[in-house]
Amino acid sequence: MEKTRIIIIDDHQLFREGVKRILDFETNFEVVAEGDDGSQAVGLVEAHQPDVVIMDINMPTLNGVEATGQLIDQYPDTKVIILSIHDDENYVTHALKTGARGYLLKEMDSEQLVEAVKVVADGGSYLHPKVTHNLVKEYRRLATSNAGTIKKEVEVRRPLHLLTRRECEVLQLLADGKSNRNIGEILFISEKTVKNHVSNILTKMNVNDRTQAVVVSIKNGWVEVR
Ligand SMILES: [Mg+2]
């Protein structure tokens, strides 16, 4: 099996080293290069042809969002995961518009980092659970401001024909922005069981990743926006 080639660009060496250590621990990952400024992004991608680029936002010369824009202009297939301390939707929307496939918060745990790289390398998109939650809240705000039609729009119609009761609960908690660990704690089940539920949900809903599952569920009113 071919390894997923990763480049890390972040101006803080210690943070970079931490990320690298976590990723190198995975047998299928290989960190092929590192950079400390967005201005190096294009050159590094040219030289190393990575599958995934992990990109900090705040960097001294060229910030990560601009660097992502430059990268996507020249290498449209580059899969960028933004790594940020900001969880407000302005940053997130901007980053996603620029072409980033993932958005992680620096408060993430190592499991979320690894999952994000796997999902994005696989062609999906990954948002940190807290980011997902903020987007959901923003969606609700927009929907509410649209002439009070919210009630009808987000009226909950659970896909009971499709999902088990437990899977519906897990889906709702995904939309709430909970991580697998949180969901396990709330439902008193192991993290592994949560993972199984999530993978069954994705299969049944015919979507690639949890972000898509949440988006589709909101559109269909399968989850409460709370
Ligand atoms: Mg920085």
Side-chain angles (χ1 to χ4, degrees):
M1 191 178 164
E2 281 207 12
K3 289 195 174 195
T4 301
R5 298 164 58 80
I6 305 161
I7 288 181
I8 306 167
I9 303 176
D10 192 302
D11 57 330
H12 286 136
Q13 194 190 351
L14 200 61
F15 192 82
R16 231 164 45 222
E17 279 172 12
V19 168
K20 178 172 161 38
R21 198 161 299 173
I22 292 164
L23 295 176
D24 276 341
F25 194 69
E26 295 289 310
T27 42
N28 294 330
F29 291 173
E30 188 183 2
V31 177
V32 292
E34 292 173 51
D36 60 10
D37 193 79
S39 55
Q40 301 165 354
V42 170
L44 286 173
V45 167
E46 214 164 59
H48 298 278
Q49 307 283 316
D51 299 298
V52 174
V53 177
I54 296 178
M55 183 94 80
D56 182 24
I57 287 198
N58 292 325
M59 290 184 284
T61 315
L62 188 69
N63 78 47
V65 175
E66 287 175 83
T68 301
Q70 287 188 357
L71 260 185
I72 305 283
D73 274 350
Q74 297 198 38
Y75 300 95
D77 295 332
T78 317
K79 293 162 178 161
V80 178
I81 299 174
I82 295 282
L83 206 50
S84 172
I85 50 167
H86 306 283
D87 65 352
D88 74 82
E89 37 80 39
N90 279 335
Y91 278 92
V92 179
T93 328
H94 197 59
L96 297 180
K97 265 191 197 153
T98 312
R101 312 276 183 99
Y103 197 103
L104 277 173
L105 297 178
K106 289 194 167 179
E107 61 190 70
M108 69 194 169
D109 56 38
S110 55
E111 199 195 326
Q112 288 165 336
L113 172 65
V114 169
E115 196 193 349
V117 173
K118 278 184 189 158
V119 168
V120 168
D122 224 31
S125 46
Y126 185 96
L127 301 180
H128 187 279
K130 208 167 151 191
V131 169
T132 307
H133 186 54
N134 287 345
L135 287 182
V136 168
K137 277 201 308 205
E138 176 64 7
Y139 174 87
R140 180 180 175 77
R141 193 185 64 74
L142 289 174
T144 320
S145 61
N146 276 341
T149 52
I150 176 93
K151 266 258 157 11
K152 199 159 187 199
E153 261 183 59
V154 301
E155 190 185 329
V156 179
R157 287 174 283 113
R158 289 187 188 281
L160 287 175
H161 57 293
L162 208 60
L163 303 185
T164 64
R165 190 186 165 80
R166 185 55 116 189
E167 286 162 1
C168 288
E169 286 171 338
V170 172
L171 186 59
Q172 175 66 56
L173 291 167
L174 289 179
D176 290 344
K178 305 289 189 220
S179 67
N180 286 351
R181 184 170 307 161
N182 296 150
I183 295 174
E185 283 162 5
I186 293 168
L187 298 177
F188 299 104
I189 54 180
S190 74
E191 220 171 310
K192 189 162 180 298
T193 308
V194 177
K195 274 190 182 167
N196 288 338
H197 285 313
V198 172
S199 105
N200 288 338
I201 291 169
L202 300 189
T203 308
K204 287 182 178 177
M205 290 180 63
N206 196 24
V207 293
N208 294 324
D209 53 65
R210 43 208 287 157
T211 308
Q212 263 187 30
V214 170
V215 171
V216 169
S217 304
I218 291 170
K219 271 195 189 150
N220 289 300
W222 291 343
V223 291
E224 257 177 278
V225 183
R226 56 190 185 187

